Amino acid sequence: MNKKSKNAIFYAIIVSLSALALISLILIVGFILIKGLPGITTEFLSQSPSKMGKEGGILPIIIGTLYVTLVALVIATPIGVAAAIYFNEYSKDTRSVRMIRFFTEVLAGIPSIIFGLFGFAFFVVFMGLGWSVLSGGLTLTIMILPTLIRATEESLKTVPMSYREGSLSLGATKWQTIVKVILPCCKSGVLTGLILGMGRAIGETAAVMLTIGGSMRMAESLLDPTRTMALHLYMLASEGISEEKTYATAALLIIIVLIINTIANEISRRMIKLS
Amino acid sequence: MKAYEKAIEKLILISAIVTTVSVALITVFIFKTGMPILLQYGVLDFITGTDWSPTSEIFGIMPLIIGTLAVTLGALIIGVPTGIACAVYLSEIASKKTAGPFKAAIELLAGIPSVVYGFFGLIVLVPAIRNYILPIFQKFNPDLNTSGFSILAGAVILAIMILPTIVSLSENAITAVPQEFREASLALGANKRETIMKVIVPAAKSGIFSSVILAMGRAIGETMAVLLITGNVAQMPGSILDPVATLTGTIAMEMSYAGPTHQQALFAIGIVLFIIIMLLNILAQAVMKKMGGVN
Amino acid sequence: GGGNSGTEAGGSVVTAGSTSVQPLSEELAAVFMDANTDYTVDVQGGGSGQGIKSIQEGIADIGALSRNLKNEEKGLVSKEVTIALDGIAVIINKDSQVKDLSLEQIRQIYTGEITNWKEVGGIDAPITVVSREEGSGTRGAFVEITKVAAKDSAGVETDMTDANALIQPSTGSVKTTVASTPNTIGYVSLGSLDDSVKAVTVEGVVPSIENIIDGTYKISRPFIYVVGETVSEATQMYLDFVLSDEGQAVVVDNGFISVK
Amino acid sequence: MEIRENEEKKFDIKGLDLYYGKFQALEKIDMDIYANKITALIGPSGCGKSTFLRTLNRMNDLIPGVTIEGDIRFDDENIYEKDYDVINLRKKVGMVFQKANPFPKTIYENIVYGPRVHGEKNKEILDHIVERTLKEVALWEEVKDRLNKSALGLSGGQQQRLCIARCLAVEPEVILMDEPTSALDPVATSKIEGLLGELALKYTIVIVTHNMQQAGRVSDNTAFFLSGKVLEVDNTAQMFSNPRNSKTEDYITGRFG
Amino acid sequence: MEIRENEEKKFDIKGLDLYYGKFQALEKIDMDIYANKITALIGPSGCGKSTFLRTLNRMNDLIPGVTIEGDIRFDDENIYEKDYDVINLRKKVGMVFQKANPFPKTIYENIVYGPRVHGEKNKEILDHIVERTLKEVALWEEVKDRLNKSALGLSGGQQQRLCIARCLAVEPEVILMDEPTSALDPVATSKIEGLLGELALKYTIVIVTHNMQQAGRVSDNTAFFLSGKVLEVDNTAQMFSNPRNSKTEDYITGRFG
Ligand SMILES: Nc1ncnc2c1ncn2[C@@H]1O[C@H](COP(=O)(O)OP(=O)(O)OP(=O)(O)O)[C@@H](O)[C@H]1O
Ligand SMILES: Nc1ncnc2c1ncn2[C@@H]1O[C@H](COP(=O)(O)OP(=O)(O)OP(=O)(O)O)[C@@H](O)[C@H]1O
Ligand SMILES: [Mg+2]
Ligand SMILES: [Mg+2]
């Protein structure tokens, strides 16, 4: 085979596979939006659900979703990034570190229902947090940590050694080097981890089902039970309660994710521009 | 300054410890809950048994193991090349103008809840397999039949679900390859394809590989979507158009109704799952080491 | 949350358990709280097993189940109250010609003895059987009433559901599966029945609330509340409300069958 | 300059302008580069030597926002013409960079990369290429026992010599070198310089250097760059002994040694 | 060598061995480095000059698998002692690397990085530092209009001068330089060399160079490295005119120009 045809095949494969990915996305998102958008009315956005969710809106559930996701991200981000920094910058590449990393990866493949059961046994019962925003958020935190740590570590690895050397040779401490030179280079990697983790947190049902309770009332504190949109969606769909509300909820969820991702990307673009 | 720095280092260490402890806690939790029944029932019987009827206290999970491996493998076969192709397209071929929206679109996939994928699969994919894919297969084997609930359906949906993980992480890895390598390769008269295939992707392979491992984890652990479209038939599949039950699907599906013994058995499945993922990770690392050679 | 209901004027009740009962419980709780503004009732999901575990752990006052207690569970609760019945409709794809099935035919279809629709008066096509997961309350009631589960020679009751049956994890997915797949048969909660699928008559009887109440339609499952050793005043008040005429009116209102 | 008329022009550059975005880095460059000669490019830091060098094999195509005007003819074809075969150009016009940039592969793999890309599969021939080129850059003795170790483990100087060997392995017609010896010690430098002389029998060489002596020693012709312009281009001996431009003289006599 | 007794020793190195894993890169190095002098390190590629230089500010700590034996005393304290304040050491012993390594920040941010890290917040003082150091490395005129542009947009030579300026901004006591001018043109080189002379009044300088002339021109003392050993260390004039070791002579006379 000559180079021309090899090239042609190569580009054909790359482009068609990329197109395939895009088409499946359009199919899924389009399917949900077409079926769901008509159901998103101001009433739907501003009212509480009634008749088991068959009627009314989902305001308390939107709020609940934001609470839980926020708790998960606010706790997971510093811990995840710090742990990645520890594993990549501080610890020697010892057996025990490799073990921890290994187990963290294994956990990424454990079904979320198990995290749910763990969260129930540990946070809800043992720590006495009850079914609450906090219990759910903490369970999600543990679930998204592996993704976050992995993404952060990968981008830490790509920062050239010469930057570290440059900074340290100027008498900067390790921490200063990390904060001022290394992390700014990793922003986009950390952000990727966050977006992936957040996606996982927002879309999760099994883990929250057992830890946040699923109450449809408006949560007023971190210790109140609540329901997330994904869980609501799951209940509506699996109990066959209302097809219209199911799709409306799904469509709204997609729109929210889209908005959050856009904001995150915009923030990172600004940050990169600044430096 | 010193004290501050020390304190920070302590905090970082604590974060690492928190992570480690939570990992350890969950591991212990799974093993503590599932181990008794596993030992009581017999590890070998549990793993090699081909009959899963928990209400009759018969716990044989071989069909579930096969189902899980088949669906995951299928998802990787479809998802990994697609994901890497997207990553290459995004970082090396697409213009900035197309790359931005494309990337945002892929990231959007990550935020769609798995139930949605499940119902999409149920309503669109399963009938499509029955109506369009089956006839193709029947040309080769007229005896085949399928309801559409199948390994194939699960693999396709999972492949889509793991795309964002593969694409985002691989793209980061590829973008991080120094420009110098591209220049060196092009200056030797290599064309873009050769540069991508022989220099850039190999230089990014550790990142790409780890994205694949993470994605594999996600594929194995994913439940809600697979649950709705694989048919959940705990029997040995004969072809990719046959329905299967998966380990995770079975756990998620039966856990909420299960009585005490049944629940323990589900945790025992968790242990098996844990070990399978561990073995796959070890295997993956061994492969990585082998092909790593230089790095 | 928590089981520490107050002894003062007001109090709180936490219910947890079956997600099938959860929507009904939400409605009951809402009406109860409207009438007794000092009281709160929190309704949590988690599944039937989780409901029992929660009262054991003392984090819920009431456990909700959508199935009968298993023998091994009986010792873990001190009292069980059936709060409603849920009819189970046998559904088939809308394209199917079949209108009626006998309990025996249903049993034979689900155990795999009948595998073609023509054996029960339909077209010549293989039957795709859709069932629920093992342990599901709906399945438990269905196999018991249709005798799909039977005592074997040793006297142990076994579920004989055909191993090739597709399993769907929820009412909604069974309904969607049957609606979108030709030649399928399944069963779902009566409350969720809509015109995307066709419900067959069983022994000539239409599945409806009236027919279940008068006992002519046979297939239904109980919704059960269970409580542990200590029952707080608030919990007792709520239980009394659920079983009152007012409470049972809510049950009927939401498409379930009153136990009165 | 008249003698030049008989010589074969490899590159013929006319009115070349280059912009990075709005910043003009090269201005009205007119210059010929002759076959089988060594042309040195000299001038102060930032004057555009590297930029000019990279236009000759169209490496600047990679930098977004670069605009190029004017004419560069290579073997009488305009290389900036549409449809011009850039790959083929780069095969014929090899390059060694200022910063050593070995691939993160083994030493062996680095060298056979080019030949492989151009279709050479025979293991023996490849082995032979590796040995020959490594000897040419005086690296063979140092690395022959670790050909299968990563090239990144080499010292800075060793890495740069490896990159030169990698370039030679493709047997180009022209070799562009951007301060190829700036990271090398005198012994290795003199070996490379000796090699340059030999290579010039077969190849055309364009070399950027800061080392006046080097330019004087190895090159046939020299071009003096200042702020993006070529102030003077001439026979090296001529320019060094008798610069026509006073700024050239200032620069050259600012030298040491 | 006797005159040395009166001079202040900045570094006092005794029996230094360094291993990369099992590979011994430095062997029994004995050497003194005197305050306010310029010490040049010369020797062929791969002989361990960079490695040695990096032991002086403990930069080798960053490389996994490095083991160090022996004694390095800086201002009479053993820098490899437990609890030795490495940060303070690096503040006092600055470094300029072989490959320019500006941070991916603006030119301004690169230079104020060090002062900021050490607590300087005053904008005026920082501005002043930037201007002073950029002038010292002869870069001010070229970049003063784009201080807020990325440093990565500079040419190779400009980047290296920026790195030198960045190092000077911390006002260290000792400056370690690893071939700091190998990417610079003669004009900039001579500016830097001139600067070295001035700096030596206040600072102690250790410089690795491949350029014999440079070593001869700027340094007070020279150490000749070969295969990880110091073959000879002496007053530069002394060594260049009258090397005691025949290998030193071979190396020095292998020079050009
Ligand atoms: N990180 C490392 N791991 C293993 N070996 C190394 C490492 N760094 C350097 N070496 C080896 O140690 C020896 C000394 O290297 P060093 O970089 O100090 O040489 P140098 O004198 O500075 O050479 P040059 O003039 O080419 O820069 C070389 O053989 C080199 O291959
Ligand atoms: N990618 C780029 N974007 C913008 N400006 C650039 C870019 N590359 C180089 N320049 C600018 O163009 C001018 C010429 O740069 P060039 O690298 O060609 O100089 P040089 O003569 O090779 O210098 P040196 O001897 O230091 O390597 C410099 O002012 C430089 O800052
Ligand atoms: Mg240059
Ligand atoms: Mg060196």
Side-chain angles (χ1 to χ4, degrees):
Chain A
M1 208 184 314
N2 68 6
K3 274 198 185 185
K4 264 226 169 84
S5 43
K6 268 192 192 162
N7 286 345
I9 291 173
F10 174 77
Y11 286 111
I13 289 177
I14 297 272
V15 170
S16 55
L17 284 180
S18 301
L20 190 71
L22 206 59
I23 289 168
S24 29
L25 171 87
I26 291 171
L27 265 179
I28 293 177
V29 174
F31 171 78
I32 289 156
L33 290 184
I34 287 170
K35 289 203 160 200
L37 279 182
I40 304 180
T41 57
T42 43
E43 185 198 38
F44 183 69
L45 293 175
S46 62
Q47 289 187 353
S48 292
S50 61
K51 282 265 166 201
M52 317 195 301
K54 222 179 264 174
E55 284 160 25
I58 57 166
L59 181 64
I61 294 162
I62 299 177
I63 304 288
T65 308
L66 294 182
Y67 273 169
V68 176
T69 312
L70 211 65
V71 168
L73 288 186
V74 163
I75 300 172
T77 310
I79 294 185
V81 173
I85 288 175
Y86 180 81
F87 293 141
N88 205 59
E89 305 287 326
Y90 282 92
S91 71
K92 305 252 158 51
D93 191 31
T94 57
R95 248 200 144 73
S96 50
V97 169
R98 281 203 299 272
M99 280 281 279
I100 296 166
R101 211 180 257 150
F102 182 74
F103 276 98
T104 314
E105 256 149 48
V106 172
L107 274 194
I110 294 295
S112 44
I113 182 85
I114 300 244
F115 284 93
L117 285 162
F118 171 77
F120 174 76
F122 191 72
F123 297 120
V124 177
V125 179
F126 180 73
M127 305 265 289
L129 298 174
W131 286 289
S132 60
V133 173
L134 200 55
S135 297
L138 288 170
T139 308
L140 289 179
T141 297
I142 296 185
M143 254 184 62
I144 64 178
L145 270 180
T147 315
L148 195 55
I149 292 177
R150 191 64 196 241
T152 309
E153 267 202 272
E154 282 303 323
S155 60
L156 285 173
K157 274 190 211 147
T158 63
V159 178
M161 199 60 190
S162 67
Y163 292 169
R164 292 182 180 88
E165 291 182 337
S167 173
L168 291 174
S169 75
L170 290 168
T173 62
K174 199 158 186 170
W175 180 243
Q176 287 169 327
T177 304
I178 289 169
V179 171
K180 297 187 177 200
V181 179
I182 299 178
L183 281 183
C185 297
C186 297
K187 276 179 301 214
S188 97
V190 174
L191 204 79
T192 305
L194 271 181
I195 288 180
L196 288 176
M198 192 188 62
R200 202 159 177 209
I202 282 191
E204 181 53 45
T205 45
V208 291
M209 188 158 81
L210 300 179
T211 50
I212 60 167
S215 163
M216 288 198 281
R217 285 192 302 139
M218 184 78 82
E220 272 146 19
S221 82
L222 285 182
L223 291 175
D224 278 349
T226 189
R227 180 184 285 197
T228 63
M229 290 173 69
L231 181 55
H232 188 59
L233 183 61
Y234 175 73
M235 299 279 300
L236 291 178
S238 62
E239 295 305 321
I241 292 170
S242 158
E243 199 166 289
E244 182 208 336
K245 301 286 179 199
T246 306
Y247 284 115
T249 309
L252 187 61
L253 194 50
I254 286 181
I255 293 171
I256 290 179
V257 170
L258 187 62
I259 292 173
I260 296 179
N261 285 2
T262 311
I263 293 173
N265 280 323
E266 187 59 24
I267 290 174
S268 91
R269 221 175 44 102
R270 294 246 168 101
M271 285 195 309
I272 287 165
K273 233 185 191 165
L274 275 184
S275 63
Chain B
M1 198 61 182
K2 265 251 131 110
Y4 167 79
E5 180 103 6
K6 278 253 153 64
I8 296 267
E9 283 182 17
K10 285 267 143 50
L11 275 179
I12 291 178
L13 181 64
I14 288 172
S15 299
I17 291 173
V18 166
T19 312
T20 313
V21 167
S22 60
V23 167
L25 268 181
I26 295 183
T27 312
V28 169
F29 176 71
I30 298 171
F31 276 79
K32 209 182 117 219
T33 323
M35 218 48 179
I37 190 140
L38 198 58
L39 294 177
Q40 184 194 325
Y41 191 83
V43 178
L44 209 64
D45 288 343
F46 191 77
I47 292 174
T48 56
T50 53
D51 186 12
W52 173 257
S53 33
T55 41
S56 322
E57 309 227 331
I58 302 175
F59 305 119
I61 61 166
M62 202 52 186
L64 309 183
I65 295 177
I66 301 291
T68 298
L69 293 182
V71 173
T72 305
L73 197 68
L76 291 180
I77 289 173
I78 303 168
V80 170
T82 312
I84 296 176
C86 287
V88 167
Y89 178 76
L90 273 173
S91 52
E92 299 293 319
I93 297 172
S95 68
K96 265 211 171 108
K97 254 195 188 146
T98 28
F102 190 9
K103 196 167 180 210
I106 297 283
E107 276 166 359
L108 184 60
L109 278 177
I112 300 177
S114 27
V115 201
V116 171
Y117 283 104
F119 270 86
F120 174 80
L122 196 57
I123 294 168
V124 180
L125 186 63
V126 166
I129 289 177
R130 185 174 57 237
N131 298 330
Y132 304 112
I133 307 290
L134 178 63
I136 300 174
F137 275 79
Q138 278 174 336
K139 285 207 179 94
F140 303 100
N141 182 355
D143 294 339
L144 269 181
N145 206 347
T146 185
S147 56
F149 295 90
S150 55
I151 295 174
L152 183 61
V156 170
I157 284 293
L158 274 187
I160 299 175
M161 295 182 71
I162 61 176
L163 265 186
T165 309
I166 299 179
V167 177
S168 304
L169 297 180
S170 300
E171 198 230 358
N172 281 353
I174 292 174
T175 313
V177 174
Q179 185 66 12
E180 300 164 12
F181 292 161
R182 291 182 184 83
E183 293 196 344
S185 171
L186 293 172
L188 288 168
N191 60 31
K192 202 160 179 176
R193 168 183 61 86
E194 289 159 339
T195 306
I196 292 171
M197 299 283 288
K198 296 186 178 176
V199 177
I200 298 177
V201 170
K205 73 186 162 204
S206 130
I208 293 176
F209 205 77
S210 85
S211 82
V212 171
I213 293 187
L214 212 60
M216 183 180 73
R218 175 109 212 249
I220 294 181
E222 183 49 57
T223 44
M224 287 308 179
V226 174
L227 212 54
L228 297 171
I229 51 178
T230 55
N232 303 306
V233 177
Q235 289 216 314
M236 296 292 187
S239 84
I240 61 164
L241 294 181
D242 278 354
V244 284
T246 63
L247 293 167
T248 52
T250 305
I251 295 176
M253 188 164 64
E254 296 179 5
M255 190 66 89
S256 57
Y257 294 96
T261 327
H262 185 177
Q263 212 173 68
Q264 279 183 19
L266 295 178
F267 266 92
I269 295 186
I271 297 178
V272 173
L273 198 54
F274 195 94
I275 291 169
I276 289 179
I277 298 170
M278 218 162 82
L279 292 178
L280 286 176
N281 268 295
I282 291 172
L283 189 76
Q285 274 175 10
V287 171
M288 177 116 138
K289 226 187 199 149
K290 206 155 186 202
M291 73 178 196
V294 172
N295 274 354
Chain C
N4 52 333
S5 41
T7 46
E8 65 276 13
S12 77
V13 182
V14 178
T15 82
S18 167
T19 47
S20 305
V21 186
Q22 196 175 0
L24 175 60
S25 296
E26 298 262 9
E27 294 303 312
L28 286 166
V31 176
F32 177 75
M33 285 188 287
D34 280 347
N36 308 278
T37 46
D38 287 347
Y39 291 81
T40 58
V41 179
D42 271 321
V43 180
Q44 318 292 350
S48 301
Q50 216 59 28
I52 291 175
K53 205 172 200 169
S54 302
I55 54 170
Q56 266 184 292
E57 305 274 7
I59 52 167
D61 304 286
I62 296 174
L65 282 79
S66 59
R67 58 166 164 79
N68 283 311
L69 282 168
K70 297 196 169 75
N71 283 332
E72 51 191 14
E73 289 169 340
K74 290 221 166 97
L76 306 174
V77 305
S78 58
K79 192 172 138 200
E80 59 175 301
V81 183
T82 303
I83 62 158
L85 292 178
D86 183 18
I88 299 173
V90 176
I91 55 170
I92 54 177
N93 189 273
K94 266 163 93 176
D95 296 341
S96 178
Q97 305 303 317
V98 175
K99 293 205 166 56
D100 181 76
L101 291 170
S102 69
L103 278 174
E104 176 59 14
Q105 282 173 327
I106 294 173
R107 187 190 69 78
Q108 287 177 328
I109 290 173
Y110 268 85
T111 53
E113 288 163 46
I114 295 179
T115 57
N116 197 302
W117 282 111
K118 71 180 177 202
E119 295 173 57
V120 292
I123 56 167
D124 178 11
I127 303 176
T128 304
V129 177
V130 183
S131 185
R132 290 287 301 276
E133 71 278 13
E134 288 225 22
S136 142
T138 318
R139 172 161 168 174
F142 177 81
V143 297
E144 196 181 313
I145 295 159
T146 57
K147 305 243 168 13
V148 170
K151 290 210 166 67
D152 62 13
S153 47
V156 183
E157 191 163 275
T158 18
D159 186 334
M160 310 290 284
T161 302
D162 183 7
N164 287 314
L166 293 178
I167 305 294
Q168 281 298 338
S170 68
T171 300
S173 56
V174 170
K175 198 170 64 179
T176 313
T177 303
V178 173
S180 66
T181 317
N183 306 316
T184 41
I185 181 167
Y187 52 87
V188 294
S189 160
L190 190 55
S192 71
L193 202 57
D194 60 32
D195 56 9
S196 66
V197 292
K198 190 161 112 185
V200 296
T201 57
V202 177
E203 313 265 333
V205 184
V206 177
S208 70
I209 292 176
E210 303 77 50
N211 291 342
I212 291 171
I213 292 172
D214 68 21
T216 48
Y217 187 83
K218 294 284 188 300
I219 318 174
S220 69
R221 61 167 169 170
F223 282 177
I224 296 172
Y225 276 178
V226 296
V227 291
E229 293 282 298
T230 47
V231 179
S232 72
E233 183 205 325
T235 307
Q236 192 56 52
M237 258 185 80
Y238 176 66
L239 282 177
D240 290 345
F241 161 79
V242 170
L243 293 175
S244 70
D245 290 344
E246 215 185 336
Q248 289 298 308
V250 175
V251 168
V252 175
D253 238 25
N254 284 286
F256 299 102
I257 296 119
S258 162
V259 288
K260 292 236 155 155
Chain D
M1 296 278 278
E2 307 81 73
I3 39 158
R4 290 295 162 71
E5 303 304 324
N6 313 328
E7 296 180 347
E8 189 198 337
K9 284 182 191 171
K10 203 74 191 168
F11 281 99
D12 182 346
I13 299 122
K14 289 241 157 62
L16 177 71
D17 289 336
L18 184 145
Y19 300 81
Y20 289 117
K22 285 194 178 118
F23 173 72
Q24 180 158 18
L26 295 178
E27 207 182 324
K28 289 225 192 64
I29 309 277
D30 287 322
M31 202 169 141
D32 296 334
I33 289 168
Y34 294 92
N36 298 59
K37 298 279 178 226
I38 300 181
T39 306
L41 311 179
I42 61 171
S45 179
C47 65
K49 304 179 297 294
S50 298
T51 303
F52 172 72
L53 198 72
R54 294 162 57 94
T55 57
L56 299 182
N57 66 345
R58 290 190 53 178
M59 274 323 259
N60 284 327
D61 289 15
L62 304 182
I63 301 172
V66 166
T67 25
I68 291 170
E69 283 156 24
D71 235 42
I72 299 187
R73 304 188 80 79
F74 171 64
D75 283 344
D76 261 345
E77 279 183 277
N78 186 345
I79 63 171
Y80 280 94
E81 205 158 69
K82 254 185 79 179
D83 296 333
Y84 187 84
D85 185 350
V86 183
I87 300 302
N88 196 35
L89 172 71
R90 297 206 184 116
K91 197 160 132 188
K92 290 191 190 155
V93 184
M95 185 161 207
V96 175
F97 296 82
Q98 193 162 10
K99 276 188 188 177
N101 57 358
F103 300 129
K105 298 174 182 269
T106 63
I107 294 171
Y108 184 92
E109 289 296 326
N110 261 282
I111 294 185
V112 300
Y113 179 85
R116 281 232 179 100
V117 155
H118 298 123
E120 186 54 65
K121 294 208 175 85
N122 187 317
K123 174 91 172 85
E124 259 168 49
I125 295 183
L126 291 175
D127 286 352
H128 183 76
I129 291 176
V130 170
E131 186 171 340
R132 174 177 61 79
T133 55
L134 283 176
K135 279 184 176 157
E136 281 177 339
V137 298
L139 199 59
W140 177 249
E141 288 303 319
E142 284 158 72
V143 302
K144 68 172 183 239
D145 297 328
R146 46 169 170 160
L147 292 178
N148 290 319
K149 293 274 159 61
S150 169
L152 301 182
L154 298 176
S155 79
Q158 291 169 327
Q159 288 191 8
Q160 186 58 302
R161 283 184 277 155
L162 176 66
C163 291
I164 299 176
R166 183 176 64 182
C167 171
L168 296 180
V170 190
E171 303 197 20
E173 294 178 15
V174 180
I175 305 172
L176 309 177
M177 297 183 160
D178 194 343
E179 306 183 35
T181 61
S182 71
L184 300 189
D185 65 281
V187 174
T189 301
S190 82
K191 280 190 187 151
I192 298 279
E193 287 186 4
L195 175 67
L196 287 184
E198 279 171 47
L199 291 174
L201 299 176
K202 283 160 64 190
Y203 307 129
T204 307
I205 294 174
V206 186
I207 181 168
V208 173
T209 177
H210 277 128
N211 188 322
M212 251 6 79
Q213 288 73 35
Q214 186 169 69
R217 261 191 320 272
V218 303
S219 72
D220 302 299
N221 302 315
T222 298
F224 174 58
F225 280 70
L226 194 68
S227 313
K229 292 192 198 100
V230 174
L231 283 204
E232 190 167 348
V233 47
D234 209 338
N235 177 286
T236 303
Q238 173 78 22
M239 189 193 284
F240 274 59
S241 60
N242 196 3
R244 280 174 297 174
N245 190 305
S246 68
K247 283 191 185 144
T248 317
E249 186 166 3
D250 288 352
Y251 184 73
I252 294 175
T253 53
R255 76 181 190 276
F256 339 103
Chain E
M1 295 278 280
E2 307 81 73
I3 38 158
R4 291 294 165 70
E5 304 302 324
N6 313 329
E7 295 181 347
E8 190 198 338
K9 284 182 192 171
K10 204 72 190 169
F11 281 100
D12 182 346
I13 299 122
K14 290 243 156 61
L16 177 71
D17 289 336
L18 185 145
Y19 300 81
Y20 290 115
K22 285 194 178 120
F23 173 71
Q24 180 158 18
L26 295 178
E27 205 182 324
K28 288 225 191 64
I29 310 276
D30 287 320
M31 202 170 142
D32 296 332
I33 289 168
Y34 293 92
N36 298 59
K37 298 278 178 231
I38 301 180
T39 305
L41 311 180
I42 60 171
S45 181
C47 65
K49 305 180 296 294
S50 299
T51 303
F52 172 72
L53 199 71
R54 293 161 56 92
T55 57
L56 299 181
N57 65 346
R58 290 189 53 176
M59 265 339 246
N60 284 327
D61 289 16
L62 305 181
I63 300 173
V66 166
T67 26
I68 290 171
E69 281 156 24
D71 234 43
I72 299 188
R73 304 188 79 79
F74 172 62
D75 284 344
D76 260 346
E77 277 182 278
N78 186 345
I79 63 172
Y80 280 94
E81 204 158 71
K82 254 186 79 179
D83 295 334
Y84 186 84
D85 185 346
V86 183
I87 300 303
N88 197 36
L89 172 71
R90 298 209 183 115
K91 197 160 133 187
K92 291 190 187 153
V93 183
M95 186 161 207
V96 175
F97 297 81
Q98 192 162 9
K99 275 190 188 175
N101 59 353
F103 301 130
K105 297 174 182 270
T106 63
I107 294 171
Y108 185 91
E109 289 296 326
N110 261 282
I111 293 184
V112 301
Y113 180 86
R116 281 230 180 102
V117 154
H118 298 123
E120 186 56 66
K121 295 206 175 82
N122 187 316
K123 174 92 173 85
E124 261 168 49
I125 295 183
L126 291 176
D127 286 352
H128 183 76
I129 291 176
V130 171
E131 184 169 343
R132 174 177 62 79
T133 54
L134 283 176
K135 279 184 176 157
E136 282 179 337
V137 298
L139 198 60
W140 177 249
E141 289 304 320
E142 285 158 70
V143 302
K144 67 171 184 241
D145 298 327
R146 45 169 171 161
L147 291 178
N148 290 318
K149 293 274 159 61
S150 169
L152 301 183
L154 298 177
S155 78
Q158 291 169 326
Q159 287 191 9
Q160 185 60 300
R161 283 184 280 156
L162 176 67
C163 291
I164 298 175
R166 184 177 67 181
C167 171
L168 297 180
V170 190
E171 303 198 21
E173 295 178 13
V174 181
I175 305 171
L176 309 178
M177 298 184 160
D178 195 342
E179 306 182 34
T181 60
S182 71
L184 301 189
D185 65 283
V187 173
T189 301
S190 83
K191 281 190 189 151
I192 298 280
E193 288 186 2
L195 175 68
L196 287 184
E198 281 170 47
L199 291 174
L201 298 176
K202 282 159 65 192
Y203 306 129
T204 307
I205 294 173
V206 185
I207 182 169
V208 173
T209 178
H210 277 128
N211 187 322
M212 250 10 79
Q213 288 74 35
Q214 187 170 66
R217 262 191 319 273
V218 303
S219 72
D220 302 298
N221 303 315
T222 297
F224 174 59
F225 281 69
L226 195 66
S227 315
K229 293 194 198 98
V230 174
L231 282 204
E232 190 167 348
V233 47
D234 209 336
N235 178 286
T236 303
Q238 173 78 22
M239 187 192 285
F240 275 59
S241 59
N242 195 4
R244 279 175 298 173
N245 189 306
S246 67
K247 284 190 184 141
T248 316
E249 186 165 4
D250 288 353
Y251 185 73
I252 294 176
T253 53
R255 74 184 193 275
F256 338 102

